[in-house]
Amino acid sequence: MVSAPDGPTLTGVGVGPGDPELLTVKAVRVLREADVVFVPVLDRLAADSDAPPGRAETTARAYADPARLRRLPFALDDRGGVTARRERAWDEAAAAVVAAMDAGARTVAFATIGDPNVYSTFGYLAQGVRERRPTVEVRTVPGVTAMQDLAARAGVPLCEGREPLTLLPATAGAAVFEDALAGPGTVVAYKGWRRHGKLVAALRRHDRLADAVLGQALGLPGERIGPVTGPHEELPYLSTLLVPARRDRRGGKL
């Protein structure tokens, strides 16, 4: 049994890709018991009280008391690396969490889509909070990732036997994707969006297009799961491309 900490805790809670039924029992408990539950919001929409909730907030609202939910602005659409806007958002978010703790919150949760340890904003938030309050205990609750949900919904095993599994963001560049496709295992690319045309071209060069599966808005209204139809598809930023390993017989990779 885990002993209770002496000071406040900050827990990054993975809430999955969109379907509120995919949360773990532990994630639900933490969201229900936390004194404050922070959720990310695009910084340029933070001042608009009528702005629709983000994916993490929508899922968290299924379990957490709305009165305990607070939005934390982040530069979620900034593609310029570590920009001044992004740094400012990280700093202000960490300061808001510390202020909540100073006001009496002992248990603080941050709801993040997918898993808090996989391409998540939570890591930047946790670092900022630790710099301001080194005694804060940081925890994470793992969540179902988009690649797991897509594989389950498409009926495609992610990896078998000796196959490697490569997960990468399309923002890493076409060369990284090409190298992964040249290997023997399954390849998953996140954040295809504007790079989708280059991903499709690479799939064709490696003769992997026919097996690829594309997922958009998983678990949300308007979701799409199906084959890659071409390079000019209009994709949301949070899209998932699954390219299964080549398998010619049962147990062939054992």
Side-chain angles (χ1 to χ4, degrees), residues 16-109:
D19 183 349
E21 291 187 335
L22 290 180
L23 272 71
T24 65
V25 173
K26 185 171 185 177
V28 171
R29 178 181 62 78
V30 171
L31 291 176
R32 285 176 173 167
E33 294 179 355
D35 296 324
V36 179
V37 177
F38 284 103
V39 293
V41 64
L42 184 61
D43 55 357
R44 57 186 173 82
L45 298 179
D48 183 0
S49 59
D50 295 326
R55 191 177 299 196
E57 180 177 349
T58 299
T59 306
R61 282 180 175 273
Y63 301 103
D65 180 355
R68 292 184 288 108
L69 285 177
R70 300 184 192 175
R71 292 179 171 180
L72 277 185
F74 290 95
L76 300 174
D77 62 349
D78 192 330
R79 312 296 176 225
V82 184
T83 62
R85 174 191 170 201
R86 179 168 275 163
E87 291 263 27
R88 182 172 59 254
W90 288 343
D91 290 341
E92 292 176 355
V97 171
V98 170
M101 293 175 173
D102 290 345
R106 299 282 296 175
T107 55
V108 176

Side-chain angles (χ1 to χ4, degrees), residues 155-246:
V156 177
L158 281 172
C159 40
E160 296 180 349
R162 294 172 286 107
E163 293 173 354
L165 170 62
T166 302
L167 171 64
L168 55 88
T171 51
V176 177
F177 185 63
E178 291 259 12
D179 288 345
L181 289 179
T186 293
V187 180
V188 180
Y190 283 172
K191 307 176 184 180
W193 198 38
R194 294 176 178 172
R195 300 163 185 84
H196 183 64
K198 292 183 178 180
L199 300 183
V200 171
L203 289 171
R204 284 177 172 153
R205 282 193 293 272
H206 290 267
D207 194 25
R208 305 283 291 274
L209 183 62
D211 297 328
V213 181
L214 184 64
Q216 307 173 39
L218 296 173
L220 301 173
E223 76 168 8
R224 175 184 175 265
I225 298 172
V228 179
T229 58
H232 304 298
E233 293 179 87
E234 291 291 333
L235 301 183
Y237 178 64
L238 294 175
S239 57
T240 302
L241 177 64
L242 169 60
V243 190
R246 292 189 175 98

Side-chain angles (χ1 to χ4, degrees), residues 119-192:
Y119 300 128
S120 171
T121 302
F122 178 71
Y124 310 121
L125 174 64
Q127 183 176 341
V129 171
R130 280 189 175 118
E131 290 172 351
R132 290 162 175 78
R133 292 291 186 277
T135 58
V136 169
E137 181 170 350
V138 176
R139 301 173 174 175
T140 57
V141 177
V144 174
T145 61
M147 70 173 175
Q148 291 170 294
D149 190 22
L150 180 56
R153 307 281 291 284
V156 177
L158 281 172
C159 40
E160 296 180 349
R162 294 172 286 107
E163 293 173 354
L165 170 62
T166 302
L167 171 64
L168 55 88
T171 51
V176 177
F177 185 63
E178 291 259 12
D179 288 345
L181 289 179
T186 293
V187 180
V188 180
Y190 283 172
K191 307 176 184 180

